[in-house]
Structure formats: structure tokens, C-alpha cells
Amino acid sequence: MRLALVALLGLAACADAPDAPAPPTPPRPASGPSFTVGVDSLPRAEPARSHTVALGYPQIRGMSGPPMASALRAVNAAIRDTVAALADDFRPAEPPAGAGPPEFAVEVTGGPERVWISDDLFSALIEVAVVTGGAEATTTFLPLTYDLTTGRPVSAEDLFADGTPWADTLAAAAERAVTERIGAEATYAEGFEALRAGRIDWTLAPDAIVVHLLPRQVSAVDARAFHVGVPLAAVAA
């Protein structure tokens, strides 16, 4: 797989920090040579638990011809299951018998903000907003990357030459990009230490491995999310 990635990814890097997003809306479908990507939805409404869900998630569609390969169907099923599991993570406990619904409603909304597909690889980032009764929603990321030839998820370690300290490499690139943008005094080290420990949200793009930093993950001063593109030259052997 690594050779395919070397061929598909370029050497350019990117770093951006968009303003706080409006309520997520599905992106325009992305398409690879043989596939297109649509957006399905997971709606739930459980008044007894004060729980509502409205999550969009990507699904791969075949352009034409014979039915999709089993690996592609496996990827679609894995995405559906992963999104459902995330919604379950925020599901309030059932109230005791005779009790009313919880005082504070839990609302889980969002959808895919970044999607990329080739004949061999698929990658997407679902941005999720969770409201639990507070004045401000909490943002979480759900990154998804799969090998379309096997149907299996791709890990960050798979993209690096054997023995490369992949977490350190991605963390260093993220820290450098964020520091250049907002200054070292506006960041705090604890957020980057979490990256070095391997707790990294990442996806693939046509020209980079993109590290996604949640709002306030690395800065208490700048509340925007950061998306840092790491050039393949930084990870290839």
C-alpha cells in the first residue's frame, strides 16, 4: 500500500485554520476515477431520553456496470457502524421507571466536511457538534480512512516507512504550522504532547496527510480548528 500512497500523494503542504463552522452541511460529492461519494444520514429521535441525532456520513457509490466489490460494501458498512457507535456514545441513560426525560437534551449533529477518494483509497472527516445543555456545542472529529482493495481501515502507521516515529513526525509538523500562524505564546504544549502519544485525528488528501486539531486542542487563545497538511516527503522512506 505504501507504494500506492507515494504515487497518489504529492509533496505540497497546507495549513489552515477556518473560522468556527456554521451548522455542518454535506459537501459536494467527490469522485474518483471509478467511484462517486454520496451522503446518507442517521436520524434518531428519542424524546424519553431527550436525545436527537442528525448525522450525515459518506457512502461510496459505483458509477456504472457490475455491482460493487465486496471490499467497497465492507467499507460502507464499516462507516455506517462507526457513525452509529459514535451516536451511541452520546446517548443518555434510560430514565428510571416513572421518571420524566432528562432535563438537559443531548443533540448530536454534523456531517462530512472533507472527502477524498481514488481507485485504491478513501478518506473523509466527519465533523460532529454535540450539545449537552450548555451554551456552546462541543466539536469532535471522526476521521475515516480505508483501503478500497481490502475493505480494511488504514492506520497512520501504515503510511510511514518501518521504524519511523510517525506520531512524532505528525506532531512536529502540526506544532510548527500552528506556531507559525498564531505564535508560540498562544499555544500550550499539552495539546501537542497528546499528538506525540498517538492521539491524532488525520485523513488523506490528494496532496497531503492532513492532521486535524479540534478547537482549543492546542490553544486557549485561538478557538478555531486547525487542519495541517503534512507533505509525503516527511513520511516516505
Side-chain angles (χ1 to χ4, degrees), residues 14-234:
C14 62
D16 59 352
D19 294 333
T25 56
R28 297 179 64 182
S31 59
S34 304
F35 315 111
T36 188
V37 179
V39 178
D40 285 356
S41 62
L42 173 66
R44 289 183 184 175
E46 297 182 275
R49 297 176 187 248
S50 298
H51 186 225
T52 59
V53 176
L55 285 175
Y57 59 90
Q59 291 283 272
I60 302 168
R61 323 281 196 208
M63 296 292 285
S64 62
M68 288 200 307
S70 59
L72 300 179
R73 296 196 300 272
V75 169
N76 281 341
I79 293 171
R80 288 194 300 269
D81 291 345
T82 301
V83 170
L86 181 142
D88 287 341
D89 287 343
F90 295 102
R91 191 182 187 213
E94 185 176 3
E103 178 181 359
F104 296 110
V106 176
E107 300 177 0
V108 184
T109 60
E113 293 294 322
R114 293 165 179 256
V115 177
W116 176 71
I117 191 168
S118 72
D119 275 341
D120 303 309
L121 296 162
F122 170 81
S123 195
L125 179 73
I126 298 178
E127 185 171 323
V128 181
V130 182
V131 177
T132 57
E136 186 177 346
T138 300
T139 300
T140 188
F141 291 147
L142 180 61
L144 305 161
T145 300
Y146 290 91
D147 182 335
L148 298 183
T149 64
T150 65
R152 296 177 180 175
V154 177
S155 70
E157 190 174 5
D158 293 334
L159 308 179
F160 287 73
D162 293 340
T164 302
W166 62 271
D168 286 342
T169 301
L170 294 178
E175 184 171 12
R176 183 167 55 252
V178 173
T179 299
E180 288 176 355
R181 185 170 182 98
I182 65 175
E185 68 283 356
T187 68
Y188 48 81
E190 291 83 355
F192 296 111
E193 287 303 320
L195 302 183
R196 293 186 176 89
R199 298 191 294 275
I200 301 176
D201 292 329
W202 65 274
T203 58
L204 292 175
D207 57 359
I209 300 168
V210 185
V211 177
H212 306 285
L213 302 172
L214 289 163
R216 297 189 176 89
Q217 182 174 347
V218 295
S219 175
V221 177
D222 194 316
R224 294 173 294 176
F226 291 88
H227 306 278
V228 178
V230 182
L232 188 64

